[in-house]
Amino acid sequence: MEKENILKTNITTEESEIKKKVMAITKGCLFAIIFSIILLTIYALLLVNTTISENTMMPVVLTITGVSILIGGTISSRKIKKNGLIYGGIVGLVYVLALYLASSIAIVGFSISINSLLMLIVGVITGIIGGIIGVNLSVKK
């Protein structure tokens, strides 16, 4: 009987840990997406209302994406407090996949290009860096 109680307690603890990790990753991804939408809206308004060239689009979009994923990775791994490389990378990967899914739905002639690969690499790397930062911010001295 005692072994059953210990086993049930361990299963419950593992389930709550998994839920905590999934929620932290989800929170990091949602923050990154919302932050990107806000920054991209500001950039679009600047493009329309100023003389900023459209040639700046790719570097600006990559920068906004990178910063958003960096912050999202930091937020998620700060809650988890370990394995920042993994969880930050997951946030970057999920963000980029969500972006490609939305693009393929919204854009008729959407295709994967070298820029897509670059965005995926930037997303995962900045997520990993954000994860490392988040774990180090969560350590109490």
Side-chain angles (χ1 to χ4, degrees):
M1 189 67 161
E2 188 175 318
K3 281 187 175 182
E4 281 183 28
N5 288 337
I6 291 172
L7 186 59
K8 286 180 183 178
T9 303
N10 286 344
I11 291 172
T12 305
T13 303
E14 287 178 23
E15 286 176 355
S16 67
E17 282 295 315
I18 291 171
K19 285 180 184 178
K20 179 182 172 185
K21 291 173 183 176
V22 169
M23 288 304 295
I25 291 169
T26 303
K27 185 177 180 181
C29 290
L30 287 175
F31 184 86
I33 290 168
I34 291 168
F35 191 67
S36 290
I37 289 170
I38 292 168
L39 290 180
L40 289 171
T41 301
I42 293 169
Y43 177 63
L45 290 172
L46 286 173
L47 275 176
V48 170
N49 295 314
T50 65
T51 59
I52 294 176
S53 171
E54 288 184 14
N55 294 335
T56 63
M57 189 173 295
M58 190 61 186
V60 171
V61 169
L62 279 175
T63 302
I64 289 172
T65 301
V67 169
S68 299
I69 295 171
L70 182 83
I71 294 171
T74 302
I75 288 171
S76 69
S77 63
R78 189 168 184 202
K79 296 286 183 189
I80 299 171
K81 299 180 181 177
K82 60 182 176 179
N83 296 330
L85 286 168
I86 295 168
Y87 296 113
I90 290 172
V91 168
L93 185 65
V94 169
Y95 175 93
V96 173
L97 291 176
L99 183 67
Y100 287 137
L101 180 64
S103 297
S104 65
I105 291 169
I107 301 171
V108 175
F110 178 75
S111 64
I112 304 288
S113 66
I114 192 72
N115 289 337
S116 304
L117 181 61
L118 180 63
M119 189 84 92
L120 180 65
I121 292 168
V122 167
V124 172
I125 290 173
T126 55
I128 288 171
I129 293 169
I132 293 169
I133 292 169
V135 168
N136 288 319
L137 287 176
S138 68
V139 175
K140 295 188 180 190
K141 296 180 180 179

